[in-house]
Amino acid sequence: MSGSKSSSSDPRPSGIHESSRRGKLRKIAEMGLDPWGGRFDDRTAIGTIRDRADEIRFHPETGDPIALPAVDGESPLDFRSWLNQQGPGQLVGPRVRAAGRIVLQRKAGKLRFVDIQDWTGKIQLFIGKQQVGEADFELAGQFDLGDLIGVDGALWRTKTGELTILADHLHFLGKSLEPPPEKHHGLQDPELRQRMRYLDLTYSDGVMERFLNRAKIIQSIRRTLGDEGFCEIEGPTLHTIAGGAAARPFRTHHNALDLPLVLRIALELHLKRLLVGGMERVYELGRVYRNEGIGPRHNPEFTMLEVYQAYGDYRTMMELTERLVTRAIQAIGAPLRLPYGDTEIDFTPPFARHSYNELFEQHAGVPPDDHQAIRSLARELNLETANRHPDVLKNAVFEERVEDQLHGPVFVIDYPASICPLTKRKASHPKIAERFELFLCGMEVANAYTELNDPDLQEQLFQTQLEGLPEEDSMAKMDHDFVRALRHGMPPAGGLGIGIDRLVMLLTNSPTIRDVILFPLLRPESSP
RNA sequence: GAGGUUGUAGCUCAGUCGGUAGAGCAACGGACUUUUAAUCCGUAGGUCCUGGGUUCGAGUCCCAGCAACCUCACCA
């Protein structure tokens, strides 16, 4: 990939660092080694190696091996004097093989201390000329920060007690031509951290762990759903109609069919077609695309989970949501009371459940059925009031005054029907929809319905939504093919959507969505 | 889309009132076989985001642009 920054004939301006590194690269090649390395079998993860520290023994010249005292952590033990007290002898530990990136080097004459790091941890290498021999010591002289190396040696402790691999063979596995970020501050510029996520992962504390936790959360969700008999499918990402949510789509085009297409904004309508088709428990966990602003909680592409269960309802989905979330927390080894920013979230189930109207009255201070009072409050809040349905207005007030107050976790249940075009109404209250949203720290994380399966009502609601709205802004586009599917009979069902990125933010104590997306959307680097 | 903040060496950051461009880390040369952000001596490294303007003189002041971040708007 060539950057837009300069033509390929332009040498990079940072020539000094690169030429020094290229010089060492040549020297490695002259030693008969491949500076780009190759297969390196039978290594042990550094985290696993560290776990074997207690196998190191002190072998006195006479007598039996002695176990080492605990020297890790904050222990005040002076390991050097402990060793002296034991008399002559040596430390012997298990043989290990490790590989990783050089993150720190300290040179001391015919001796080098090199810290290498893999994705499970860091460990120090002791490289002595006597111990590794002339050739490998010469190789170690060509090491730069950022290089990838392998090592064979014995697990061991230095006189200060530091867990170390006493190297006897070195392997060169890959040269880095660029200098790494500053060694104690790391990468600070948030733009660079996102653009050069590979550096952020390697050199910023907690970043690798956060993204590995993201993977564990997603694995846990798949496992929970699989255990409960749900089938994972992959629906189309290219849609002819942007349905299932209210959002502006990205537009694209298929050449051979000369067909305008949009990237999907939701997973809903195809999953419900599968309910019609007899897939009784079905879900998709995938990317959706919304052509909207970017902010701390919004990225134009994000990961969504949608789950549908035949013969369930929104209460079924509430219980499922609790299981999905609490198991995901267990999967990353975290407690149910989790820190988030300055606060703490208690995920101990069952989560609180409050009705939309109840919360509305409590936080907006206006009776939920007093249209006049709501309208005047909306005006006070500078909300657009002209030509808006009373329930739409009420929901605008709800978003403005109530959502921020919902620290959660709290299920907000029973929404005004008129803002829920895909949801079944309560039999006893046709103006109330069987819907919940799960709120955490003022953020909507999950949204679920008892799914509407009456094709006539669905068609009518699509139609109502379209009236008087520009097509882009309508909440649900008329999808005749979807209505036709409903006409064949969709089982009553519960449906659930979870914003995976937001869930990961909350479970990993990440302040912005960009902290949990490896490559968030950025403008291309400027070309002056 | 609006406002605010920021942009200086590969990285992290100083830069006073407008008067020769600075430090630490990284790099290069040297010393050191138990270091821990190793230390010590020496060297090199700059499109001060870009383009205009004011001025004898601009990293600094003014205007425009670019990018990031924050707030807002948009956003089931």
Side-chain angles (χ1 to χ4, degrees), chain A residues 88-126:
Chain A
Q90 57 178 338
L91 291 173
V92 176
R95 285 198 60 77
V96 293
R97 161 172 274 204
R101 191 182 291 280
I102 297 174
V103 292
L104 275 177
Q105 287 201 90
R106 293 173 291 283
K107 298 170 219 177
K110 299 180 179 61
L111 193 62
R112 299 174 83 97
F113 295 90
V114 172
D115 290 3
I116 62 168
Q117 172 179 295
D118 71 11
W119 68 346
T120 65
K122 269 183 223 181
I123 197 162
Q124 172 174 273
L125 313 183
F126 177 106

Side-chain angles (χ1 to χ4, degrees), chain A residues 158-440:
Chain A
T158 59
K159 285 181 179 168
T160 56
E162 174 85 10
L163 189 63
T164 298
I165 297 174
L166 177 57
D168 47 48
H169 285 98
L170 300 173
H171 308 265
F172 201 80
L173 298 175
K175 195 72 193 159
S176 168
L177 296 174
E178 298 282 349
E182 212 269 355
K183 73 183 180 190
H184 11 95
H185 301 96
L187 268 193
Q188 293 295 325
D189 182 345
E191 179 180 355
L192 283 182
R193 292 182 61 180
Q194 292 170 40
R195 268 188 216 291
M196 305 175 91
R197 186 67 91 185
Y198 41 91
L199 294 181
D200 195 31
L201 281 165
T202 303
Y203 295 105
S204 303
D205 284 344
V207 175
M208 178 69 78
E209 184 188 18
R210 192 195 315 139
F211 283 104
L212 294 180
N213 277 339
R214 179 184 171 118
K216 285 179 191 167
I217 289 165
I218 289 171
Q219 272 168 14
S220 159
I221 288 169
R222 285 205 162 95
R223 195 181 321 120
T224 302
L225 290 169
D227 288 349
E228 300 196 16
F230 286 88
C231 167
E232 180 172 12
I233 65 98
E234 297 117 287
T237 53
L238 297 171
H239 287 189
T240 51
I241 297 170
R248 279 161 217 231
F250 286 92
R251 303 190 174 284
T252 184
H253 183 262
H254 186 269
N255 289 341
L257 298 179
D258 187 21
L259 182 66
L261 291 168
V262 293
L263 300 187
R264 65 181 176 187
I265 59 170
L267 314 173
E268 174 142 0
L269 300 185
H270 287 87
L271 285 162
K272 284 183 180 172
R273 283 172 170 91
L274 297 174
L275 280 179
V276 173
M279 290 189 143
E280 297 181 4
R281 294 184 177 213
V282 65
Y283 75 96
E284 178 162 7
L285 205 169
R287 208 71 61 83
V288 297
Y289 306 86
R290 297 186 181 179
N291 205 338
E292 287 154 2
I294 296 174
R297 295 170 175 188
H298 294 270
N299 193 60
E301 56 177 317
F302 61 99
T303 301
M304 181 97 122
L305 167 72
E306 288 198 27
V307 187
Y308 293 84
Q309 177 173 343
Y311 313 116
D313 70 1
Y314 75 138
R315 292 179 185 281
T316 323
M317 294 295 108
M318 255 183 260
E319 291 151 18
L320 177 61
T321 303
E322 286 172 347
R323 288 195 296 280
L324 287 169
V325 172
T326 53
R327 286 185 196 175
I329 293 169
Q330 287 159 8
I332 58 173
L336 287 178
R337 290 170 69 93
L338 275 177
Y340 189 72
D342 304 330
T343 66
E344 188 182 73
I345 312 172
D346 186 353
F347 285 96
T348 308
F351 303 162
R353 303 177 185 197
H354 296 291
S355 82
Y356 182 93
N357 280 342
E358 176 192 338
L359 291 166
F360 188 88
E361 178 141 25
Q362 182 186 337
H363 295 287
V366 172
D369 44 8
D370 186 340
H371 294 334
Q372 284 310 316
I374 292 170
R375 187 166 292 271
S376 56
L377 178 55
R379 281 201 200 93
E380 274 176 47
L381 297 170
N382 286 322
L383 299 171
E384 177 62 48
T385 55
N387 291 324
R388 296 185 94 178
H389 186 283
D391 283 340
V392 174
L393 204 54
K394 180 171 160 187
N395 198 49
V397 173
F398 188 90
E399 287 174 3
E400 188 72 18
R401 290 301 281 272
V402 184
E403 290 190 354
D404 287 349
Q405 309 300 316
L406 302 177
H407 182 257
V410 55
F411 288 117
V412 179
I413 60 177
D414 295 342
Y415 277 66
S418 45
I419 60 166
C420 310
L422 298 160
T423 311
K424 182 169 279 193
R425 280 77 179 105
K426 271 184 151 20
S428 50
H429 295 282
K431 297 206 167 196
I432 301 289
E434 293 202 341
R435 170 184 184 181
F436 76 76
E437 292 193 342
L438 174 63
F439 278 88
L440 279 149

Side-chain angles (χ1 to χ4, degrees), chain A residues 10 20 42 112 122 135 199 225 286 309 315 339 365 385 390 430 441 447 482 487 497 503:
Chain A
D10 278 338
S20 150
D42 304 320
R112 299 174 83 97
K122 269 183 223 181
L199 294 181
L225 290 169
Q309 177 173 343
R315 292 179 185 281
T385 55
C441 297
N447 182 18
F482 173 67
R487 291 164 66 88
L503 180 65

Side-chain angles (χ1 to χ4, degrees), chain A residues 127-174:
Chain A
I127 301 171
K129 191 170 193 172
Q130 245 172 49
Q131 289 79 2
V132 297
E134 292 275 348
D136 273 4
F137 195 75
E138 176 76 8
L139 174 63
Q142 314 313 313
F143 288 171
D144 282 306
L145 293 180
D147 288 354
L148 299 160
I149 62 167
V151 62
D152 290 301
L155 195 57
W156 187 63
R157 283 189 190 276
T158 59
K159 285 181 179 168
T160 56
E162 174 85 10
L163 189 63
T164 298
I165 297 174
L166 177 57
D168 47 48
H169 285 98
L170 300 173
H171 308 265
F172 201 80
L173 298 175

Side-chain angles (χ1 to χ4, degrees), chain A residues 63 78 86 133 221 304 321 381 427 465 472 486 492 498 516 522 528:
Chain A
D78 183 346
Q86 307 312 309
I221 288 169
M304 181 97 122
T321 303
L381 297 170
Q465 289 294 330
E472 251 186 359
L486 290 188
I498 294 182
V516 298
L522 290 168

